[in-house]
Amino acid sequence: MDLPFDRPSPVTRRWRVTGWLLAGVWLFFLNIPLFTAVHQAQPWRRAVGVGTLVAFGVLYVLIFQWARNLRQAHRPIPVGRARASVGLLLALGLAGIPGTAGDWLTTLVFVAAAAVFLLPPVDALVVVVLCALTPPVAAALVPGWEAESTVVFAVLLASFAMFGVSRLAQRNGELRAAQAEIRRLAVAEERARTARDLHDILGHSLTVVAVKAELAGRLLELDPARAGTEIADVERLARQALADVRRTVGAYREISLSSELAGARTALAAAGIVGDLPDDLPALPAAREELFGWAVREGVTNVVRHSGARRCVIRVHPDRVEIADDGRGPAGPQPPGDGGHGLLGLRERGGRLDGTVTVGRRPDGTGFLLRVTVPVEQR
């Protein structure tokens, strides 16, 4: 299923407008070369100066938006296109020299900032150094051009500022990606938890329904009245399972050890298995009682389904619960990670209380034993 956080978040119109403003507000500093171009005596110089500056400003904003959109989408900026963009900005600045004279050096501030935002660190450093050295070198080589120390300072300041902005944008992108991953993992964990709960509920209930339906089929001709009773139990259990599923989906379901023991007594009797269950229960913390209830449900379901047992014994102690039978037992030692969904879910629930789940043969080497132990100090 395509989840909302599997796709890039849509950018609102307000955020798009904010992006254009962030890029365009710095164009104010092109006012010095623009003033020089507008006051050129020759029309062609005026046209060249104004035209190149307008093209420079539009290109700078478009490049900034292009790179910003790529960063927001967590996509890399193509190095080749980034270099071409920075080169084109520099070319437009140089092309405006007939109309802007020495004031074209102001465009180097934008070239340096764009290089820091677009290029890899080494490439960006080279461009910034060249932009910072160009004003004093040009003043020394070209008669009439003054050494623009303010441009050098502006290049360095803009580069440092853009470095901070780009790193902040990168960290924000990484943070958004991490948050999306956390949300995805939370949904996956919730799905797994719901799947475990539904497996535990339906596995137990449908096992009892199947056993009772089979018994009713055998009794249909021999004892119709008893068969009717069993069919009524099947209906009751089916309705109870449906209610449990609804409560699970609504996250309102609670497991009670006493109710699970009562259900276990019914399930064992329906399967023709003698149940030895405790009549009195020790006082248990709510979390431990719920865990022991899940253990009884899982253990009895496995006894009815797989064991072929004639007798099942359930013992509840303050620190543990044990479900044992005299059936076939496991084929061999059970590794900690072995078992189906039910045992996996039981181990995860026990882990939340620092408990352990042990499965294997009984101490006498026969049958099957499921034991869930929780430290006494656990509350």
Side-chain angles (χ1 to χ4, degrees):
M1 182 174 65
D2 190 17
L3 298 175
F5 46 80
D6 293 332
R7 304 182 299 270
S9 300
V11 180
T12 63
R13 181 177 180 273
R14 179 180 179 182
W15 185 245
R16 287 196 298 267
V17 172
T18 302
W20 287 107
L21 291 176
L22 286 174
V25 67
W26 301 107
L27 298 180
F28 169 78
F29 293 100
L30 291 177
N31 67 89
I32 295 176
L34 182 63
F35 181 83
T36 300
V38 169
H39 289 82
Q40 288 287 348
Q42 296 174 294
W44 73 270
R45 292 183 180 273
R46 190 183 313 134
V48 169
V50 174
T52 55
L53 287 174
V54 171
F56 182 94
V58 171
L59 179 63
Y60 177 81
V61 172
L62 292 177
I63 290 174
F64 183 88
Q65 278 297 103
W66 165 69
R68 182 168 171 270
N69 291 337
L70 289 178
R71 289 182 182 274
Q72 287 179 342
H74 312 298
R75 294 164 55 191
I77 298 175
V79 177
R81 295 182 64 182
R83 289 172 177 168
S85 300
V86 174
L88 187 56
L89 281 175
L90 179 61
L92 283 173
L94 291 171
I97 290 178
T100 58
D103 290 332
W104 80 274
L105 295 171
T106 304
T107 61
L108 295 177
V109 178
F110 297 87
V111 172
V116 172
F117 195 68
L118 298 176
L119 299 178
V122 175
D123 292 3
L125 180 61
V126 171
V127 173
V128 170
V129 171
L130 292 177
C131 289
L133 292 177
T134 298
V137 172
L141 296 178
V142 181
W145 286 12
E146 298 180 0
E148 295 286 350
S149 58
T150 55
V151 174
V152 176
F153 177 75
V155 166
L156 297 177
L157 182 62
S159 299
F160 279 116
M162 186 57 72
F163 178 80
V165 170
S166 61
R167 290 300 174 270
L168 179 61
Q170 179 181 347
R171 296 295 181 268
N172 286 340
E174 293 172 353
L175 179 59
R176 285 194 297 270
Q179 290 173 339
E181 180 66 11
I182 290 172
R183 290 194 296 269
R184 187 190 68 79
L185 292 175
V187 171
E189 174 61 24
E190 184 64 18
R191 285 174 176 169
R193 185 193 68 81
T194 302
R196 289 194 302 267
D197 288 354
L198 289 175
H199 169 272
D200 294 342
I201 291 170
L202 295 180
H204 174 79
S205 300
L206 295 181
T207 296
V208 178
V209 166
V211 170
K212 283 186 167 290
E214 182 181 359
L215 178 61
R218 292 199 302 265
L219 294 174
L220 195 58
E221 295 182 359
L222 300 176
D223 189 350
R226 173 78 183 280
T229 302
E230 296 297 332
I231 290 298
D233 282 346
V234 168
E235 180 183 1
R236 177 183 60 80
L237 288 170
R239 292 183 182 278
Q240 180 182 345
L242 180 60
D244 283 344
V245 170
R246 287 172 174 169
R247 284 194 296 269
T248 299
V249 173
Y252 296 122
R253 182 176 53 81
E254 295 181 357
I255 290 294
S256 167
L257 177 58
S258 57
S259 64
E260 291 304 319
L261 286 172
R265 196 184 304 274
T266 300
L268 292 171
I273 301 173
V274 177
D276 184 355
L277 280 64
D279 295 323
D280 298 320
L281 297 175
L284 299 172
R288 192 182 308 170
E289 179 182 358
E290 182 180 0
L291 173 62
F292 287 0
W294 282 113
V296 169
R297 170 172 287 201
E298 175 63 20
V300 171
T301 300
N302 288 336
V303 170
V304 173
R305 274 182 174 176
H306 312 299
S307 70
R310 292 169 302 190
R311 180 181 177 84
C312 177
V313 179
I314 299 177
R315 293 291 180 261
V316 180
H317 304 277
D319 65 334
R320 68 187 186 278
V321 60
E322 299 175 345
I323 302 95
D325 64 64
D326 60 354
R328 290 184 292 269
Q334 301 291 302
D338 197 16
H341 292 289
L343 288 177
L344 176 62
L346 191 59
R347 286 191 175 97
E348 291 182 355
R349 292 186 180 94
R352 298 189 189 109
L353 300 181
D354 297 328
T356 57
V357 177
T358 306
V359 294
R361 291 190 180 276
R362 297 191 304 176
D364 61 4
T366 63
F368 187 87
L369 172 66
L370 169 64
R371 178 188 293 120
V372 178
T373 305
V374 179
V376 174
E377 66 273 10
Q378 181 69 41
R379 291 291 182 263

